[in-house]
PDB file of all heavy atoms in Angstrom:
ATOM      1  N   LEU E 355      -3.869   1.239  -7.028  1.00  0.00           N
ATOM      2  CA  LEU E 355      -4.752   1.583  -8.148  1.00  0.00           C
ATOM      3  C   LEU E 355      -5.602   0.391  -8.565  1.00  0.00           C
ATOM      4  O   LEU E 355      -6.784   0.551  -8.898  1.00  0.00           O
ATOM      5  CB  LEU E 355      -3.925   2.121  -9.320  1.00  0.00           C
ATOM      6  CG  LEU E 355      -3.183   3.445  -9.049  1.00  0.00           C
ATOM      7  CD1 LEU E 355      -2.385   3.863 -10.273  1.00  0.00           C
ATOM      8  CD2 LEU E 355      -4.134   4.551  -8.606  1.00  0.00           C
ATOM      9  N   PHE E 356      -5.025  -0.793  -8.547  1.00  0.00           N
ATOM     10  CA  PHE E 356      -5.789  -1.999  -8.845  1.00  0.00           C
ATOM     11  C   PHE E 356      -6.903  -2.177  -7.809  1.00  0.00           C
ATOM     12  O   PHE E 356      -8.038  -2.541  -8.144  1.00  0.00           O
ATOM     13  CB  PHE E 356      -4.864  -3.209  -8.886  1.00  0.00           C
ATOM     14  CG  PHE E 356      -5.555  -4.486  -9.270  1.00  0.00           C
ATOM     15  CD1 PHE E 356      -5.940  -4.725 -10.588  1.00  0.00           C
ATOM     16  CD2 PHE E 356      -5.845  -5.448  -8.303  1.00  0.00           C
ATOM     17  CE1 PHE E 356      -6.589  -5.916 -10.936  1.00  0.00           C
ATOM     18  CE2 PHE E 356      -6.490  -6.630  -8.659  1.00  0.00           C
ATOM     19  CZ  PHE E 356      -6.858  -6.867  -9.981  1.00  0.00           C
ATOM     20  N   GLY E 357      -6.600  -1.929  -6.539  1.00  0.00           N
ATOM     21  CA  GLY E 357      -7.604  -2.013  -5.479  1.00  0.00           C
ATOM     22  C   GLY E 357      -8.708  -0.990  -5.642  1.00  0.00           C
ATOM     23  O   GLY E 357      -9.892  -1.289  -5.404  1.00  0.00           O
ATOM     24  N   ILE E 358      -8.339   0.213  -6.046  1.00  0.00           N
ATOM     25  CA  ILE E 358      -9.343   1.257  -6.283  1.00  0.00           C
ATOM     26  C   ILE E 358     -10.270   0.853  -7.427  1.00  0.00           C
ATOM     27  O   ILE E 358     -11.501   0.998  -7.328  1.00  0.00           O
ATOM     28  CB  ILE E 358      -8.671   2.618  -6.550  1.00  0.00           C
ATOM     29  CG1 ILE E 358      -8.045   3.138  -5.254  1.00  0.00           C
ATOM     30  CG2 ILE E 358      -9.657   3.618  -7.150  1.00  0.00           C
ATOM     31  CD1 ILE E 358      -7.160   4.371  -5.419  1.00  0.00           C
ATOM     32  N   GLU E 359      -9.695   0.317  -8.489  1.00  0.00           N
ATOM     33  CA  GLU E 359     -10.526  -0.139  -9.603  1.00  0.00           C
ATOM     34  C   GLU E 359     -11.487  -1.216  -9.124  1.00  0.00           C
ATOM     35  O   GLU E 359     -12.683  -1.191  -9.461  1.00  0.00           O
ATOM     36  CB  GLU E 359      -9.671  -0.669 -10.743  1.00  0.00           C
ATOM     37  CG  GLU E 359     -10.514  -1.145 -11.909  1.00  0.00           C
ATOM     38  CD  GLU E 359      -9.743  -1.856 -12.989  1.00  0.00           C
ATOM     39  OE1 GLU E 359      -8.729  -2.527 -12.669  1.00  0.00           O
ATOM     40  OE2 GLU E 359     -10.164  -1.769 -14.159  1.00  0.00           O
ATOM     41  N   GLY E 360     -11.002  -2.152  -8.349  1.00  0.00           N
ATOM     42  CA  GLY E 360     -11.866  -3.222  -7.828  1.00  0.00           C
ATOM     43  C   GLY E 360     -12.990  -2.689  -6.953  1.00  0.00           C
ATOM     44  O   GLY E 360     -14.132  -3.137  -7.040  1.00  0.00           O
ATOM     45  N   LYS E 361     -12.664  -1.712  -6.111  1.00  0.00           N
ATOM     46  CA  LYS E 361     -13.667  -1.114  -5.232  1.00  0.00           C
ATOM     47  C   LYS E 361     -14.737  -0.362  -6.050  1.00  0.00           C
ATOM     48  O   LYS E 361     -15.935  -0.500  -5.789  1.00  0.00           O
ATOM     49  CB  LYS E 361     -12.988  -0.156  -4.247  1.00  0.00           C
ATOM     50  CG  LYS E 361     -13.909   0.519  -3.286  1.00  0.00           C
ATOM     51  CD  LYS E 361     -14.456  -0.429  -2.248  1.00  0.00           C
ATOM     52  CE  LYS E 361     -15.192   0.322  -1.166  1.00  0.00           C
ATOM     53  NZ  LYS E 361     -15.693  -0.588  -0.142  1.00  0.00           N
ATOM     54  N   GLU E 362     -14.284   0.393  -7.041  1.00  0.00           N
ATOM     55  CA  GLU E 362     -15.228   1.138  -7.873  1.00  0.00           C
ATOM     56  C   GLU E 362     -16.118   0.190  -8.686  1.00  0.00           C
ATOM     57  O   GLU E 362     -17.305   0.449  -8.872  1.00  0.00           O
ATOM     58  CB  GLU E 362     -14.495   2.126  -8.772  1.00  0.00           C
ATOM     59  CG  GLU E 362     -13.855   3.277  -8.011  1.00  0.00           C
ATOM     60  CD  GLU E 362     -14.853   4.112  -7.221  1.00  0.00           C
ATOM     61  OE1 GLU E 362     -15.930   4.461  -7.750  1.00  0.00           O
ATOM     62  OE2 GLU E 362     -14.556   4.438  -6.043  1.00  0.00           O
ATOM     63  N   TYR E 363     -15.536  -0.896  -9.170  1.00  0.00           N
ATOM     64  CA  TYR E 363     -16.307  -1.912  -9.888  1.00  0.00           C
ATOM     65  C   TYR E 363     -17.373  -2.494  -8.962  1.00  0.00           C
ATOM     66  O   TYR E 363     -18.557  -2.586  -9.338  1.00  0.00           O
ATOM     67  CB  TYR E 363     -15.364  -2.998 -10.415  1.00  0.00           C
ATOM     68  CG  TYR E 363     -16.045  -4.266 -10.848  1.00  0.00           C
ATOM     69  CD1 TYR E 363     -16.952  -4.271 -11.913  1.00  0.00           C
ATOM     70  CD2 TYR E 363     -15.783  -5.466 -10.198  1.00  0.00           C
ATOM     71  CE1 TYR E 363     -17.577  -5.446 -12.316  1.00  0.00           C
ATOM     72  CE2 TYR E 363     -16.394  -6.648 -10.591  1.00  0.00           C
ATOM     73  CZ  TYR E 363     -17.289  -6.641 -11.648  1.00  0.00           C
ATOM     74  OH  TYR E 363     -17.901  -7.799 -12.031  1.00  0.00           O
ATOM     75  N   SER E 364     -16.991  -2.867  -7.738  1.00  0.00           N
ATOM     76  CA  SER E 364     -17.964  -3.418  -6.787  1.00  0.00           C
ATOM     77  C   SER E 364     -19.055  -2.408  -6.475  1.00  0.00           C
ATOM     78  O   SER E 364     -20.246  -2.776  -6.399  1.00  0.00           O
ATOM     79  CB  SER E 364     -17.256  -3.841  -5.504  1.00  0.00           C
ATOM     80  OG  SER E 364     -16.417  -4.931  -5.742  1.00  0.00           O
ATOM     81  N   ARG E 365     -18.674  -1.159  -6.304  1.00  0.00           N
ATOM     82  CA  ARG E 365     -19.675  -0.121  -6.027  1.00  0.00           C
ATOM     83  C   ARG E 365     -20.648   0.018  -7.197  1.00  0.00           C
ATOM     84  O   ARG E 365     -21.854   0.195  -6.996  1.00  0.00           O
ATOM     85  CB  ARG E 365     -18.996   1.224  -5.780  1.00  0.00           C
ATOM     86  CG  ARG E 365     -18.332   1.347  -4.438  1.00  0.00           C
ATOM     87  CD  ARG E 365     -17.599   2.677  -4.353  1.00  0.00           C
ATOM     88  NE  ARG E 365     -17.723   3.216  -3.018  1.00  0.00           N
ATOM     89  CZ  ARG E 365     -17.340   4.421  -2.659  1.00  0.00           C
ATOM     90  NH1 ARG E 365     -16.805   5.219  -3.542  1.00  0.00           N
ATOM     91  NH2 ARG E 365     -17.480   4.824  -1.426  1.00  0.00           N
TER      92      ARG E 365
END
Side-chain angles (χ1 to χ4, degrees):
L355 295 179
F356 183 75
I358 289 171
E359 180 188 32
K361 180 71 170 182
E362 291 300 315
Y363 165 63
S364 293
R365 285 176 142 188

